[in-house]
Amino acid sequence: LKKQNKLFSLFNKLGSDTKDKNAAKETAVKSVLTAQESKALAGYKLRQQLTCPYDGYPFKTILKSVENAPDEMKIKVYWAVIDRTLEELNAYGMDEESLEEVAIDTMELLVETFNEVQQFREYRHSIIEALMDYYIRGNCGIVDSIYEAAHALCSEESDYRIVIQKLEAQPQRSGLRSYYQTLLSHLYEEIGDTNSQLQVLESNLEYGMDYWRLAQYWLERGNTDKAM
């Protein structure tokens, strides 16, 4: 329990945007490590004004330390890691493979944990919403993985509705409009809202793919006349 409390203290420090707290962050990281791990960490210095080193070492160590923790603890720690790495990547528009690996691996762990428990509904909703905000922001090289994680967390209609609302709020003239319409069509199909699915498919017909998606909709329902 003491170690878990230290983890929360650590992430509070990692979440700080104060420029002069790098030393405090490193001290907090060391506080949850064993003596051997602390020695290994000694060669690493946190980048100035950033929240973690390029190789993601402290985060990987923290993730390992909660492998046998209660599910709620895992979820909070996993999300803290995801949030900080995605913020880092988006803030600087970086394609940094080591941080991307940490974010992707941790999103997978988060999805697995939520899939194993049928609770923490509010946590799931808030995380889906935050992931979609990062996805829409789109200033990093793993936007597809972010969307996949948000989608994988959806287990009931209210979850899907969060994703739908985020996509529908985007400007219709966005360069990604047609792609967003494809996503929206699949989401409405998954929750059984065929009326909204058809409405999306029939709106803003501009590209050949837009017409093809609409034709597929009718072909799948055996209506070749409308497909033509």
Side-chain angles (χ1 to χ4, degrees):
L1 182 58
K2 290 181 179 179
K3 191 170 186 178
Q4 293 169 357
N5 288 336
K6 287 181 180 179
L7 285 172
F8 282 126
S9 175
L10 165 64
F11 282 116
N12 286 334
K13 295 180 189 299
L14 286 176
S16 172
D17 291 326
T18 305
K19 294 181 179 180
D20 61 355
K21 287 197 173 181
N22 283 340
K25 294 173 187 176
E26 187 164 5
T27 299
V29 169
K30 290 180 179 178
S31 71
V32 298
L33 303 181
T34 65
Q36 182 179 3
E37 291 167 337
S38 294
K39 184 177 180 180
L41 182 60
Y44 294 87
K45 292 183 179 180
L46 298 181
R47 292 157 52 214
Q48 188 175 8
Q49 300 182 14
L50 300 182
T51 60
C52 59
Y54 276 124
D55 65 3
Y57 178 85
F59 284 151
K60 291 179 180 179
T61 304
I62 292 166
L63 292 173
K64 185 173 180 60
S65 73
V66 296
E67 285 180 351
N68 298 315
D71 291 326
E72 184 175 10
M73 171 63 68
K74 287 182 181 179
I75 289 170
K76 289 182 177 181
V77 171
Y78 291 163
W79 174 244
V81 171
I82 294 165
D83 190 31
R84 295 314 304 161
T85 52
L86 291 184
E87 177 60 34
E88 192 81 0
L89 291 167
N90 276 275
Y92 296 90
M94 292 192 299
D95 290 319
E96 172 53 46
E97 185 176 348
S98 58
L99 287 183
E100 291 172 348
E101 180 183 340
V102 169
I104 292 171
D105 289 348
T106 311
M107 286 190 286
E108 291 176 355
L109 290 171
L110 182 68
V111 171
E112 289 175 6
T113 303
F114 269 114
N115 286 344
E116 292 172 358
V117 295
Q118 298 299 320
Q119 50 185 325
F120 310 124
R121 187 169 181 264
E122 291 184 3
Y123 285 159
R124 187 170 66 248
H125 282 183
S126 63
I127 290 172
I128 291 172
E129 183 172 2
L131 284 172
M132 287 303 299
D133 287 338
Y134 280 121
Y135 172 72
I136 297 299
R137 193 170 167 185
N139 194 36
C140 68
I142 57 170
V143 288
D144 288 341
S145 295
I146 295 171
Y147 180 81
E148 288 169 5
H151 182 260
L153 287 172
C154 296
S155 63
E156 55 187 52
E157 183 172 339
S158 59
D159 302 329
Y160 287 97
R161 290 290 179 184
I162 296 171
V163 180
I164 289 170
Q165 289 169 6
K166 291 291 184 179
L167 293 175
E168 287 185 333
Q170 300 313 299
Q172 288 297 308
R173 292 186 178 182
S174 167
L176 294 171
R177 178 198 58 75
S178 182
Y179 180 63
Y180 286 164
Q181 282 188 264
T182 300
L183 297 179
L184 284 167
S185 173
H186 292 321
L187 291 165
Y188 279 126
E189 184 176 19
E190 288 184 83
I191 62 175
D193 189 346
T194 55
N195 289 332
S196 294
Q197 180 188 8
L198 180 58
Q199 184 177 355
V200 166
L201 292 172
E202 289 179 333
S203 63
N204 299 304
L205 294 170
E206 181 177 357
Y207 304 107
M209 184 57 68
D210 299 333
Y211 289 94
W212 172 240
R213 284 196 302 266
L214 179 58
Q216 279 186 310
Y217 174 88
W218 289 117
L219 287 172
E220 289 171 0
R221 287 154 180 77
N223 194 327
T224 54
D225 290 337
K226 288 191 174 182
M228 297 298 290

